[in-house]
């Protein structure tokens, strides 16, 4: 190693620890350009880590060494000469054990983990695990806290009760968190061992709370609450009880209590099915209600236990079935409401809605919430609620909020109160403070439309604009026309005031005016549409374009993360040359995530307004269609579901209006378009631009987060309306139905699940309407595939339906259409795998019944089409794993193995390789005659030059199997080119 290279690197690291900003910037630039792109920097950093006298430099060297090892998925590390890599692997563990600095020791341990992630899968670091085992048993605390490993569950059990060091116990829990990420659902023994450790992990979390160690409490509570089922399944109740106990313990600091309650909130969000199945809502509510009675801080942005408790109550009500939440909540509220303690009464009202500072204020806001949820019941109580809402001068703002909600549901009953209400509200507009005026939505309003201040004045101006729009719709175009032009000027001025809220209100006003005045609104389009497009294009993030490291999403269609690209899309951190090189530690994550939610809402309204304007102004909007479509399509990948939903609805609205303007002929149901399309070419091109990105959005839409299916439900309804209007012209040559999944909602699931299922049903009905008799075969194909997906989701809960499903699938296996056969094979395999009914007596019929119905056996033959062959191979593999003795291996294996490697549906490799691994363990002689072909298959699926076909877990097990086969048939393994996967290769 060049000593000058090491010295230069050491000097720059020393300079990087300086407090001088200019020195730091200079050093960082030189490190990135002169050192960190050279593989030799890893060896140099290792040398500095071992020899530098300055602790801060050693720590920095360890941090940078880990980054360089992981850089480009380990590419820089593998470029090092083998002897240098071996020397680092030998010296680094010893260096860690001798290091006295705790931070350096931990940073260096993470270097070992980074190297191990590359070397262990290749079998090129066999010495590491014995060394770690020895370190875990060491009598020195510093050695024990360094690192743990995947298979040391018995050691972890002891380390979590280490009597000398809380650090050892906490580090052990952290290590278990890492291990949990790699436990497969098929690893039953590992799952059982991990589950046995969870009570001790909870104990360690409790000990961290007692020491007021907020950072470690955060890490460990997140670790527990975010772990996947089934790891936590037996202990969800205990975990929830522990977090609830900590959250209610007033002897702990407010920060730690909020931490515990936030962890409970995440547990409810991510494990809601377990919370629901174990009926824990009532118990959790009983623990939360006392917390709601505690005082709130004056600062509305400051978190507090009572606010966290109210958020959890809201989450329970939102995510769990009403029958599990509201009976228990009602009982508690009645109990607290009759308490002589005003704090208890206040807490009872806050549990119904939003938090305020007194019982009466909380009651007013609770009334507004109840009006939204229980319209008819609240409207029936108008004789009690209306007079009370305007009786207390010290609750004016909250009372106006309640009154606003009541007025929206009263309909004709409002007449008897108009005089009283107008008298009270007119007085408020003259005398009340601005926060009260902002919710008094009645005339006179015009002098509020010229307010130019920020904050509350701006809010009042915006609400006044909303109210004017409401009046315009109520009185109609003729009555409102004298005020139209002047108020449009006020709306345009609102666009120029630099407030997202005022721009939002102006866009809503434009939308209302377009609905009221129709094509008479067209003269304003040249001013309105550019403002809408500018809003859609604006950034929601601050971003320094000239910084050394910046963030950009992989999609070239959306202008960087600053424009809000999809949260489901990966984010690449690039250097200035476009290389995926920088680390997340180098990025100002806080700045990157500084999202202006007001701008996001503004963009949502802008996207929605575009569709409304085209609907109202018809042909006058045609010059703007192309640029609006381009911008709306780009917003389909936005992280905010409101923007995706509005963009989806406007795009489909544009398609429908464009179709109407083309004066189409009446269509007839059928699979092909049966009208003259010569005049509809542009319309078809428009559909071609819009439909693919909509389907791409659907494919990546996360239907299980926070408010499931909101965007998908909107897409389904919009597609249904569009198909019913355009007919076969919209669906011809498209595969939309094959992408549409009707999801089975759990019984008594939250309300929005039923909306999603219902909207998907509307879409299927629309297809039937458009395709007529041609829908039959498409329905059969999709219905079988949908049932297969439902079985995959229900697992053993499908057992009661086994017999009728098997009868249906048996018939579908003989269907003349290849895709129906393929879906039926997939469904049969899943039913055999998950049903608790023993289906092995059906194996002969499924595998090789007499012609012409050869079923699964026939589908595995080379003549099979599409995915049928791959799905049949997967189904037969599932039969083998479920009951090997019932499968005639001598007849089935020649056909199954000849079907390998799979060509189309690589997901079916999972059951296929599970079956192969099972047979190699339990009946290896059955595979002996096919070893040469299997080795060739193994070489194919392990080929690094093709995309992964089997998944990481199967790959690791396959490499282990190859190692075993090498002990039996080394020549054949070598001939197949598999020796590169052997340990030490």
């Amino acid at each position: 190693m060049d000593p000058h290279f090491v010295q230069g690197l050491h000097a720059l690291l020393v300079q990087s620890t300086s407090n001088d900003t200019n020195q730091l910037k200079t050093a960082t630039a030189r490190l990135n350009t002169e050192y960190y792109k050279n593989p030799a920097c890893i060896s140099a950093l290792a040398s500095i880590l071992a020899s530098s006298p300055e602790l801060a430099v050693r720590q920095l060297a360890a941090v940078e060494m880990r980054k360089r090892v992981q850089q480009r998925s380990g590419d820089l590390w593998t470029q090092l000469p083998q002897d240098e890599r071996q020397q680092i692997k030998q010296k680094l563990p010893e260096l860690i054990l001798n290091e006295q600095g705790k931070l350096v020791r931990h940073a260096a341990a993470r270097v070992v983990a980074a190297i191990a992630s590359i070397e262990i899968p290749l079998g090129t670091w066999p010495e590491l695990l014995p060394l770690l085992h020895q370190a875990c048993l060491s009598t020195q605390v510093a050695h024990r806290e360094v690192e743990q490993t995947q298979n040391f569950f018995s050691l972890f059990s002891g380390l979590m009760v280490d009597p000398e060091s809380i650090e050892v116990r906490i580090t052990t829990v952290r290590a278990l968190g890492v291990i949990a990420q790699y436990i497969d659902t098929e690893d039953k023994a590992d799952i059982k061992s991990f589950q046995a450790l969870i009570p001790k992990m909870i104990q360690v979390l409790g000990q961290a709370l007692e020491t007021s160690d907020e950072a470690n409490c955060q890490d460990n509570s997140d670790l527990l609450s975010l772990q996947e089922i089934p790891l936590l399944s037996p202990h969800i109740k205990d975990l929830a009880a522990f977090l609830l106990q900590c959250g209610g313990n007033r002897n702990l600091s407010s920060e730690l209590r909020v931490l515990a309650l936030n962890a409970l909130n995440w547990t409810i969000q991510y494990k809601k099915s377990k919370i629901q199945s174990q009926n824990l809502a009532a118990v959790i509510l009983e623990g939360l209600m006392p917390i709601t009675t505690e005082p709130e801080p004056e600062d509305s942005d400051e978190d507090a236990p009572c606010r966290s408790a109210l958020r959890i109550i809201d989450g329970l009500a939102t995510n769990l079935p009403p029958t599990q939440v509201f009976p228990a909540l009602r009982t508690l509220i009645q109990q607290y409401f009759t308490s002589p303690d005003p704090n208890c009464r206040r807490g009872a009202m806050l549990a119904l809605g939003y938090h305020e500072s007194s019982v009466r204020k909380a009651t007013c806001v609770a009334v507004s919430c109840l009006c939204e949820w229980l319209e008819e019941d609240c409207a029936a109580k108008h004789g009690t609620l209306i007079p009370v809402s305007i009786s207390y001068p010290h609750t004016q703002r909250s009372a106006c909020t309640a009154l606003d909600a009541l007025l929206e549901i009263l309909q004709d009953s409002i007449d008897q109160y108009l005089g009283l209400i107008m008298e009270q509200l007119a007085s408020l507009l003259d005398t009340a403070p601005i926060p009260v005026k902002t919710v008094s939505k009645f005339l006179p309003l015009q002098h509020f439309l010229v307010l130019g201040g920020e904050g509350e004045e701006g809010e009042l101006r915006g609400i006044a604009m909303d109210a004017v729009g409401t009046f315009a719709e109520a009185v109609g175009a003729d009555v409102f026309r004298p005020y139209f032009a002047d108020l449009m000027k006020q709306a345009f001025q609102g666009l120029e005031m630099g407030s997202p809220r005022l721009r939002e209100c102006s866009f809503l006003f434009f939308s209302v005016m377009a609905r009221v005045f129709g094509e008479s609104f067209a003269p304003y389009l040249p001013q309105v549409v550019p403002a809408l497009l500018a809003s859609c294009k604006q950034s929601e993030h601050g971003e320094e374009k000239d910084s050394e490291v910046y963030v950009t999403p992989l999609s070239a269609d959306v202008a960087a993360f600053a424009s809000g690209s999809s949260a489901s899309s990966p984010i690449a951190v690039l250097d200035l040359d476009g290389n995926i090189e920088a680390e997340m530690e180098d990025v100002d994550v806080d700045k990157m995530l500084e999202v202006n939610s007001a701008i996001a809402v503004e963009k949502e309204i802008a996207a929605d307004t575009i569709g409304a304007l085209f609907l109202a102004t018809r042909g006058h909007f045609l010059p703007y269609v192309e640029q609006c479509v381009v911008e709306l399509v780009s917003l389909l990948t936005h992280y905010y579901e409101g923007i995706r939903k509005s963009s989806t609805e406007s795009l489909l609205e544009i398609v429908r209006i464009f179709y109407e303007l083309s004066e189409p002929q009446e269509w007839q149901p059928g699979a092909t378009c049966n009208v003259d399309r010569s005049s509809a070419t542009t319309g078809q091109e428009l559909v071609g631009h819009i439909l693919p990105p909509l389907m791409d959005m659907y494919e990546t839409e996360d239907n299980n987060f926070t408010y499931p299916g909101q965007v998908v439900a909107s897409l389904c309804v919009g597609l249904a309306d569009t198909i019913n209007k355009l007919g076969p012209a919209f669906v011809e040559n498209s595969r939309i139905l094959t992408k549409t999944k009707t999801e089975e909602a759990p019984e008594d699931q939250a309300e929005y699940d039923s909306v999603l299922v219902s909207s998907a049903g509307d879409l299927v009905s629309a297809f039937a309407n458009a395709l007529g008799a041609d829908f039959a075969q498409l329905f059969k194909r999709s219905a079988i595939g949908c049932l297969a997906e439902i079985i995959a989701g229900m697992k053993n809960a499908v057992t009661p339906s086994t017999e009728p499903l098997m009868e249906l699938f048996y018939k579908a296996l003989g269907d003349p259409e290849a895709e129906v056969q393929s879906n039926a094979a997939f469904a049969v395999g899943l039913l055999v795998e998950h049903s608790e009914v023993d289906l092995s007596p059906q194996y002969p019929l499924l595998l090789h019944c007499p012609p012409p119905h050869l079923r699964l056996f026939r589908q595995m033959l080379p003549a099979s089409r599409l995915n049928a062959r791959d799905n049949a191979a997967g189904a037969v593999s599932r039969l083998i794993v479920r009951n090997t003795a019932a499968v005639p291996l001598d007849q089935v294996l020649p056909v199954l193995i000849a079907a390998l490697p799979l060509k189309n549906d690589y997901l079916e490799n999972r059951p296929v390789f599970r079956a192969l691994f099972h047979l190699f363990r339990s009946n290896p002689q059955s595979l002996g005659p096919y070893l040469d072909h299997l080795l060739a298959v193994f070489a194919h699926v392990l080929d690094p030059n093709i995309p992964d076909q089997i998944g990481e877990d199967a790959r690791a097990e396959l490499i282990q199997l190859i190692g075993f086969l090498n002990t039996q048939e080394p020549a054949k393994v070598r001939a197949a080119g598999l020796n590169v996967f052997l340990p030490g290769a």
Side-chain angles (χ1 to χ4, degrees):
M1 185 189 311
D2 183 358
H4 297 293
F5 186 87
V6 177
Q7 291 171 7
L9 178 55
H10 183 271
L12 288 174
L13 291 179
V14 171
Q15 187 176 335
S16 296
T17 63
S18 168
N19 293 326
D20 187 314
T21 304
N22 292 329
Q23 285 192 30
L24 176 60
K25 184 178 292 188
T26 302
T28 301
R30 289 191 58 195
L31 286 168
N32 286 330
T33 56
E34 299 176 20
Y35 289 90
Y36 288 161
K37 294 181 180 181
N38 187 339
C41 74
I42 295 177
S43 296
L45 288 168
S47 175
I48 294 169
L49 174 60
S51 61
S52 178
E54 298 184 34
L55 185 144
V57 174
R58 296 201 304 277
Q59 181 184 352
L60 182 57
V63 170
E64 293 298 336
M65 184 177 177
R66 175 183 58 79
K67 291 181 183 180
R68 303 317 136 200
V69 168
Q70 294 175 327
Q71 189 169 308
R72 299 194 186 115
S73 300
D75 179 62
L76 212 61
W77 167 257
T78 55
Q79 289 182 41
L80 272 181
Q82 184 65 38
D83 59 334
E84 291 187 32
R85 289 162 56 188
Q86 190 64 32
Q87 184 178 13
I88 292 172
K89 289 188 294 184
Q90 288 175 353
K91 298 292 186 182
L92 192 54
E94 179 182 347
L95 181 153
I96 294 172
L97 299 180
N98 293 329
E99 173 62 53
Q100 298 303 307
K102 175 182 171 181
L103 295 177
V104 179
R105 189 164 62 242
H106 285 199
R110 292 185 179 95
V111 179
V112 171
I115 296 173
S117 68
I118 301 170
E119 299 282 344
I120 292 293
L122 300 177
T124 51
W125 202 356
E127 307 87 1
L128 179 60
L129 295 182
L131 176 65
L132 293 177
H133 187 281
Q134 180 182 356
C136 289
L137 295 175
S138 170
T139 58
Q140 297 185 39
V141 169
H143 291 191
R144 297 198 301 274
E145 71 183 50
V146 167
E147 190 68 62
Q148 323 302 330
T149 190
Q150 187 171 355
N151 299 314
F152 292 169
F153 289 118
S154 60
L155 283 174
F156 293 158
S157 181
L159 289 169
M160 280 193 292
V161 293
D162 190 287
E164 299 180 48
S165 172
I166 183 67
E167 283 293 329
V168 171
R169 301 194 289 273
I170 289 172
T171 304
T172 304
V173 173
R174 279 207 195 106
L176 282 166
V178 176
I179 289 170
Q181 300 174 33
Y182 298 96
I183 297 179
D184 191 85
T185 53
E186 304 297 324
D187 297 334
K188 305 301 183 186
D190 284 350
I191 290 174
K192 186 175 181 180
S193 298
F194 191 96
Q195 288 173 340
L197 296 176
I198 289 176
K200 289 185 178 179
M201 296 170 70
I202 294 175
Q203 284 183 345
V204 172
L205 178 56
Q207 293 160 6
L209 282 169
E210 291 173 4
T211 62
S212 299
D213 188 341
E214 187 170 337
N216 282 321
C217 289
Q218 178 75 62
D219 290 344
N220 291 325
S221 61
D222 287 352
L223 180 155
L224 285 171
S225 60
L226 298 180
Q227 288 307 325
E228 292 294 328
I229 301 296
L231 293 180
L232 286 177
S233 296
H235 301 287
I236 287 291
K237 183 176 181 180
D238 295 336
L239 177 60
F242 169 75
L243 294 172
L244 194 57
Q245 178 186 358
C246 295
N249 185 351
R250 300 192 185 190
N251 293 323
L252 294 174
S253 70
S254 177
E255 290 78 10
L256 290 178
R257 294 177 63 200
V258 168
L259 194 65
L261 291 170
N262 286 345
L264 176 60
N265 197 22
W266 280 111
T267 302
I268 292 169
Q269 295 287 335
Y270 282 94
K271 312 293 187 245
K272 67 178 181 180
S273 61
K274 286 298 173 183
I275 299 290
Q276 178 178 334
S277 64
Q278 297 182 35
N279 205 16
L280 298 180
V283 176
I284 294 174
L285 286 169
E286 287 179 11
L288 291 173
M289 282 303 295
I291 306 174
T292 67
T293 66
E294 298 180 23
E296 293 185 83
E298 292 184 5
D299 186 349
S300 61
D301 294 327
E302 183 179 343
D303 216 342
C306 58
R307 289 175 176 168
S308 296
L310 290 168
R311 274 197 298 270
I312 297 173
I313 292 174
D314 181 67
L316 288 168
T318 302
N319 290 288
L320 296 185
T323 54
Q324 288 197 7
V325 178
F326 288 106
L329 185 59
R330 182 179 61 184
T331 301
L332 288 166
I333 285 173
Q334 288 174 341
Q335 174 188 336
Y336 275 63
F337 191 66
T338 57
S339 169
D341 183 351
N343 291 321
C344 290
R345 299 198 302 273
R346 172 184 161 278
M349 297 313 302
L350 291 177
L352 277 175
Y354 190 77
H355 54 82
E356 277 286 353
S357 60
S358 72
V359 175
R360 285 174 178 165
K361 288 183 179 180
T363 303
C364 287
V365 185
V367 167
S368 68
C369 294
L370 289 172
C371 287
E372 182 178 348
W373 302 332
L374 305 170
E375 291 187 11
E376 294 181 4
D377 296 302
C378 289
K381 300 287 186 181
H382 62 80
T384 301
L385 295 174
I386 291 289
V388 171
S389 296
I390 56 178
S391 298
Y392 300 108
H394 56 284
T395 60
Q396 288 171 340
R397 186 176 187 183
S398 301
C400 286
T401 300
L403 184 61
D404 184 42
L406 283 164
L407 293 176
E408 289 198 15
I409 64 173
L410 285 188
Q411 299 180 3
D412 293 341
S413 300
I414 194 176
D415 294 345
Q416 57 188 298
Y417 301 110
L418 281 177
L420 175 63
I421 292 172
M422 292 299 291
E423 180 181 345
Q424 293 286 337
L425 293 178
S427 174
L428 289 180
L429 286 172
D430 291 331
T431 63
I434 284 180
V436 176
K437 294 178 181 179
T438 60
V439 287
S440 306
K441 301 180 182 178
F442 286 84
L443 288 171
L445 294 171
Q446 291 185 348
H447 61 283
F448 296 135
L449 295 176
V450 295
L451 292 175
E454 298 180 355
E456 292 176 343
E457 281 198 11
E459 181 70 13
L460 178 54
R461 175 173 177 147
I463 291 179
M465 182 67 70
D466 291 342
V468 169
T470 302
F471 293 144
E473 284 199 287
V475 302
D478 292 338
V479 174
F480 196 79
R481 197 177 305 277
Y483 311 100
F484 180 31
D486 288 340
L487 289 169
M488 284 295 293
K489 291 179 182 178
Q490 298 296 339
F492 284 123
Q493 287 178 8
L495 294 179
E496 304 300 325
M497 295 179 65
S499 166
R501 170 69 175 129
L502 288 180
R503 289 196 296 270
E504 171 196 336
C505 292
S506 293
F507 295 156
L508 286 170
F509 184 73
F510 296 150
S511 181
V512 171
M513 292 300 101
R515 287 199 301 271
V516 171
F517 289 96
E519 295 188 47
S520 298
F521 186 84
Y524 291 100
L525 290 177
Q527 290 175 272
V528 172
V529 175
L532 294 171
L533 294 174
S535 174
C536 292
K537 294 176 181 177
Q538 68 184 322
S539 168
E540 294 149 54
H541 300 255
E543 182 173 334
E544 297 179 14
K545 295 294 184 181
D546 58 348
S547 60
E548 183 174 351
V549 177
Y550 56 94
V551 178
T552 178
L554 297 184
S555 171
D557 299 328
V558 187
F561 189 88
S563 65
S565 65
S566 170
S568 64
S569 300
I571 296 172
V573 181
L574 311 179
D575 63 14
L576 291 177
D577 298 325
N579 299 313
I580 303 177
E581 176 170 295
E583 297 292 327
M584 285 306 295
E585 289 90 336
D586 298 326
V587 180
D588 187 346
V589 178
D590 289 336
K591 187 172 184 64
M592 185 181 76
L593 296 179
E594 283 176 358
V595 180
N596 189 325
S597 58
I599 293 180
V601 173
E602 176 198 331
K603 292 168 78 168
E604 174 188 5
I605 301 302
D608 187 68
T609 302
I610 288 173
L613 293 184
F614 194 12
L615 178 63
T617 60
R618 315 292 289 180
H620 301 283
F621 195 85
L622 288 174
Y624 309 101
V625 167
E626 182 176 353
Q627 53 189 318
C628 287
V629 167
V630 170
E631 200 56 47
L632 290 171
V633 166
S634 75
L635 292 177
L636 292 176
T637 58
H638 199 280
Y639 69 89
Y640 173 43
E641 69 274 3
I643 291 178
R644 299 197 304 277
K645 181 173 179 290
S646 291
S647 299
T648 297
E649 292 170 347
S650 284
L651 282 168
L652 292 172
E653 186 75 82
I654 287 172
V655 171
R656 294 192 293 270
I657 302 304
F658 206 95
Y659 177 77
E660 290 176 3
L661 293 175
S662 67
E663 299 180 355
Q665 303 174 31
E666 183 177 353
W667 54 265
Q668 298 298 319
T672 57
C673 185
N674 41 47
V675 298
D676 181 13
R677 290 178 294 183
S678 59
S679 62
T681 303
T682 305
Q684 290 294 98
E685 291 179 357
L686 181 62
V687 172
H689 283 299
I690 289 175
L691 193 55
L694 282 173
M695 291 300 99
D696 289 343
M697 180 198 69
Y698 167 77
E699 294 273 345
T700 58
E701 191 68 31
D702 183 0
N703 299 333
N704 297 311
F705 190 77
T706 313
Y707 299 104
Q710 190 180 60
V711 180
V712 175
S714 178
L715 174 63
C716 290
V717 170
L719 286 173
D721 291 343
T722 308
I723 292 169
N724 283 328
K725 183 171 289 289
L726 275 69
F730 187 75
V731 300
E732 187 180 25
N733 299 321
S734 72
R735 310 281 295 192
I736 306 174
L737 189 59
T738 63
K739 295 176 179 287
T740 305
K741 300 179 285 187
T742 303
E743 301 188 8
E744 190 76 9
E747 184 181 358
D748 204 18
Q749 182 55 283
E751 188 176 332
Y752 39 66
D753 284 345
S754 63
V755 173
L756 175 60
V757 175
S758 174
S759 59
D762 291 342
L763 179 54
V764 174
S765 301
F767 271 101
N769 183 41
L771 297 178
D774 293 329
F775 181 72
Q777 192 64 21
L778 188 60
F779 174 72
K780 183 195 302 184
R781 176 196 315 154
S782 299
I784 297 294
C786 183
L787 285 171
E789 297 290 349
I790 289 173
I791 293 171
M794 293 180 65
K795 296 186 169 52
N796 63 350
V798 77
T799 299
S801 305
T802 299
E803 185 176 345
L805 285 173
M806 181 56 78
E807 182 178 352
L808 174 65
F809 298 154
Y810 182 76
K811 292 178 181 178
L813 284 170
D815 193 274
E817 185 174 336
E819 191 164 351
V820 176
Q821 295 176 16
S822 176
N823 289 342
F826 180 51
V828 163
L830 289 169
L831 188 61
V832 169
E833 179 180 1
H834 294 300
S835 175
E836 294 176 356
V837 176
D838 181 12
L839 292 172
S840 55
Q842 303 280 344
Y843 282 15
L845 290 174
L846 293 172
L847 288 168
H848 48 67
C849 61
H853 303 297
L854 294 175
R855 311 297 180 201
L856 297 177
F857 197 87
R858 180 187 67 188
Q859 287 188 37
M860 289 191 299
L861 297 175
S864 293
R865 295 166 291 170
L866 298 175
N867 290 340
R869 189 181 188 193
D870 292 355
N871 284 344
V876 170
S877 298
R878 290 182 167 97
L879 268 60
I880 291 172
V881 172
R882 183 66 189 267
N883 190 342
T884 308
V887 178
L889 294 178
D890 58 330
Q891 301 175 45
V892 170
L893 285 181
V895 183
L896 172 62
I897 293 173
L900 305 179
L902 302 184
K903 300 294 193 302
N904 293 293
D905 192 347
Y906 298 132
L907 287 178
E908 294 290 10
N909 271 320
R910 296 178 182 180
V912 166
F913 276 85
R914 279 203 302 270
L916 292 176
F917 297 150
H918 170 74
L919 290 174
F920 270 114
R921 285 192 296 266
S922 62
N923 191 3
Q925 61 273 16
S926 64
L927 295 175
Y930 316 105
L931 184 59
D932 290 338
H933 182 79
L934 285 174
L935 290 173
V937 172
F938 297 166
H940 173 78
V941 298
L942 292 175
D943 186 349
N945 297 315
I946 63 174
D948 177 45
Q949 296 183 2
I950 59 175
E952 293 182 4
D953 294 339
R955 180 184 180 89
E957 190 167 356
L958 180 56
I959 289 174
Q960 289 183 357
L961 174 61
I962 291 169
F964 168 76
L965 293 175
N966 187 59
T967 63
Q968 310 295 313
E969 299 284 353
K972 291 187 175 182
V973 170
R974 192 181 313 110
L978 293 170
N979 53 306
V980 296
F981 299 102
L982 298 175

